[in-house]
Amino acid sequence: MAVSFSRDIRPLFTDMDVAHMREYGVLLDDFGYMSDPGHAQDVLDQVSNGSMPPPDSGEPPWPPERVQLFQDWINGGFQP
């Protein structure tokens, strides 16, 4: 089954993530925004290097499985 934004990717981001990043113009809960390859790559870079979620947020860094799921969604063509 293909990785889906609504089923698999959106739930990876907490409401706190969404609200925090919206302040910077990053729309983690918006399929149109996130399916832009440049935006998706920026988010992938941040979650894979541990800068998102921010260390002071109280949330743990994404484990490799989550990063891979996000990468699989990108590789799969940004399914809604």
Side-chain angles (χ1 to χ4, degrees):
M1 183 182 306
V3 179
S4 159
F5 180 78
S6 61
R7 184 189 61 241
D8 303 304
I9 301 305
R10 171 56 187 95
L12 297 176
F13 301 105
T14 67
D15 290 340
M16 183 171 62
D17 295 334
V18 171
H20 175 79
M21 294 307 294
R22 187 171 297 276
E23 294 175 20
Y24 298 97
V26 178
L27 308 177
L28 297 175
D29 60 343
D30 183 277
F31 172 74
Y33 178 90
M34 291 294 289
S35 62
D36 175 282
H39 295 156
Q41 187 62 53
D42 287 345
V43 172
L44 178 63
D45 291 347
Q46 291 182 42
V47 297
S48 63
N49 73 19
S51 63
M52 190 173 110
D56 62 353
S57 72
E59 294 182 54
W62 279 21
E65 299 81 24
R66 276 189 173 192
V67 174
Q68 187 60 55
L69 182 63
F70 195 86
Q71 180 69 67
D72 292 346
W73 177 66
I74 292 171
N75 293 347
F78 305 101
Q79 299 302 308

